[in-house]
Coordinates of all heavy atoms in Angstrom, one line a residue:
Chain B
S785 N 91.3 71.3 111.3 CA 90.4 71.3 112.5 C 91.1 72.0 113.6 O 92.4 72.1 113.6 CB 90.1 69.8 112.9 OG 91.4 69.1 113.1
L786 N 90.3 72.4 114.5 CA 90.9 73.1 115.7 C 91.0 72.1 116.8 O 90.2 71.3 117.0 CB 90.0 74.3 116.1 CG 89.7 75.3 115.1 CD1 88.6 76.2 115.6 CD2 90.9 76.1 114.8
G787 N 92.1 72.2 117.6 CA 92.4 71.3 118.7 C 91.4 71.4 119.9 O 90.9 72.5 120.0
D788 N 91.3 70.4 120.6 CA 90.5 70.4 121.8 C 91.4 70.4 123.0 O 92.4 69.9 123.1 CB 89.7 69.0 121.9 CG 89.0 68.7 120.6 OD1 88.2 69.5 120.1 OD2 89.2 67.6 120.1
R789 N 90.8 71.3 123.9 CA 91.7 71.4 125.1 C 91.8 70.3 126.0 O 90.7 69.6 126.2 CB 91.1 72.7 126.0 CG 91.9 73.1 127.0 CD 91.5 74.5 127.6 NE 92.2 74.8 128.8 CZ 91.5 75.0 130.0 NH1 90.2 75.0 130.0 NH2 92.2 75.1 131.1
L790 N 93.0 69.9 126.3 CA 93.3 68.6 127.1 C 92.9 68.7 128.6 O 92.3 67.9 129.2 CB 94.7 68.3 126.9 CG 95.1 66.9 127.5 CD1 94.4 65.8 126.8 CD2 96.6 66.7 127.4
G791 N 93.3 69.9 129.2 CA 93.0 70.1 130.6 C 93.7 71.2 131.1 O 94.2 72.1 130.3
P792 N 93.9 71.4 132.4 CA 94.5 72.6 133.0 C 95.9 72.8 132.5 O 96.6 71.9 132.1 CB 94.5 72.3 134.4 CG 93.5 71.2 134.7 CD 93.5 70.4 133.4
G793 N 96.4 74.0 132.4 CA 97.7 74.4 132.1 C 98.8 73.7 132.9 O 98.5 73.4 134.1
L794 N 100.0 73.4 132.3 CA 101.1 72.7 133.0 C 102.2 73.7 133.2 O 102.5 74.5 132.2 CB 101.5 71.5 132.2 CG 100.5 70.5 131.9 CD1 101.1 69.5 130.9 CD2 100.0 69.7 133.2
P795 N 103.0 73.6 134.2 CA 104.3 74.3 134.3 C 105.2 73.8 133.3 O 105.1 72.8 132.8 CB 104.7 74.1 135.7 CG 104.0 72.9 136.2 CD 102.8 72.8 135.5
Q796 N 106.2 74.7 132.9 CA 107.1 74.3 131.8 C 107.8 73.0 132.1 O 107.9 72.2 131.1 CB 108.2 75.4 131.9 CG 109.2 75.2 130.7 CD 110.4 76.2 130.7 OE1 110.3 77.3 131.2 NE2 111.5 75.8 130.1

Side-chain angles (χ1 to χ4, degrees):
Chain B
S785 58
L786 301 171
D788 309 308
R789 194 163 161 240
L790 185 66
L794 304 168
Q796 181 186 335

